[in-house]
């Protein structure tokens, strides 16, 4: 199946919530084979777990990442093409008064570079990239 969707960090982390969004769970199951994550999302997920205090929650979340996320989703690297797009986007948005967080810009750049639809729970975080940089964006 063709890879179409680049999942934002909040889509993956939603699964670990006590009451996750049923819509997200349904879409993850239905679109799993056509979804990927970025190396930036992988970093954010690992960082989040690493920052937790030692204990059962940290162990369980780490297991979730290694046993479910890593085998379920191809991890797309931040490469030279994405870096080129990122530099262009950053220049464009700063020049019109819209500096953006570096990690969000990297994720958006990776989606654009690979012609993926970026899927997020927080459209507002990426709306500027859709409006000004032709990012394909979808909310689950």
């Amino acid at each position: 199946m063709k890879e179409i969707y680049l999942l934002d960090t909040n889509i993956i982390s939603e699964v670990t919530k006590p009451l996750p969004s049923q819509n997200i769970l349904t879409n993850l199951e239905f679109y799993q084979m056509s979804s990927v994550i970025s190396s930036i999302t992988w970093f954010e997920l690992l960082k989040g777990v690493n920052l937790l205090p030692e204990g059962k929650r940290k162990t369980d979340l780490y297991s979730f990442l290694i046993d479910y996320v890593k085998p379920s989703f191809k991890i797309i690297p931040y490469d030279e093409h994405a870096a080129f797009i990122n530099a262009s986007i950053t220049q464009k948005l700063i020049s019109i008064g819209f500096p953006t967080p570096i990690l969000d810009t990297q994720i958006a750049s990776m989606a654009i570079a690979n012609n993926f639809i970026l899927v997020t729970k927080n459209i507002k975080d990426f709306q500027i990239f859709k409006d000004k940089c032709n990012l394909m964006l979808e909310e689950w």
Side-chain angles (χ1 to χ4, degrees):
M1 187 170 260
K2 187 175 187 310
E3 296 161 348
I4 303 169
Y5 298 106
L6 181 67
L7 305 178
D8 189 19
T9 308
N10 57 41
I11 296 295
I12 300 297
S13 63
E14 181 71 19
V15 175
T16 66
K17 291 185 174 183
L19 293 172
S21 161
Q22 190 57 51
N23 184 54
I24 289 175
L25 294 178
T26 300
N27 282 331
L28 278 172
E29 183 177 345
F30 190 77
Y31 295 112
Q32 179 181 344
M33 298 304 291
S34 57
S35 297
V36 298
I37 63 172
S38 71
S39 55
I40 307 306
T41 289
W42 184 240
F43 156 74
E44 288 183 319
L45 292 166
L46 289 169
K47 178 188 79 170
V49 170
N50 285 340
L51 291 173
L52 291 172
E54 295 301 323
K56 182 174 176 11
R57 178 160 169 73
K58 182 174 186 171
T59 301
D60 290 349
L61 287 173
Y62 186 76
S63 292
F64 167 74
L65 294 180
I66 300 304
D67 298 336
Y68 169 71
V69 175
K70 191 171 183 200
S72 297
F73 302 102
K74 181 177 177 183
I75 300 171
I76 303 299
Y78 179 80
D79 62 13
E80 113 182 42
H81 185 53
F84 182 85
I85 290 171
N86 190 344
S88 177
I89 286 172
T90 300
Q91 180 277 322
K92 179 179 187 172
L93 294 178
I94 287 174
S95 73
I96 60 172
F98 292 101
T100 56
I102 190 165
L103 296 179
D104 287 350
T105 307
Q106 288 176 320
I107 292 169
S109 298
M110 292 173 74
I112 293 167
N114 291 283
N115 203 33
F116 292 141
I117 299 166
L118 179 60
V119 176
T120 185
K121 187 177 171 184
N122 300 321
I123 288 283
K124 65 176 179 55
D125 292 348
F126 293 96
Q127 190 65 46
I128 189 71
F129 303 108
K130 180 181 180 186
D131 294 345
K132 304 292 184 187
C133 306
N134 298 317
L135 174 68
M136 294 182 290
L137 189 61
E138 193 169 304
E139 185 174 20
W140 282 1

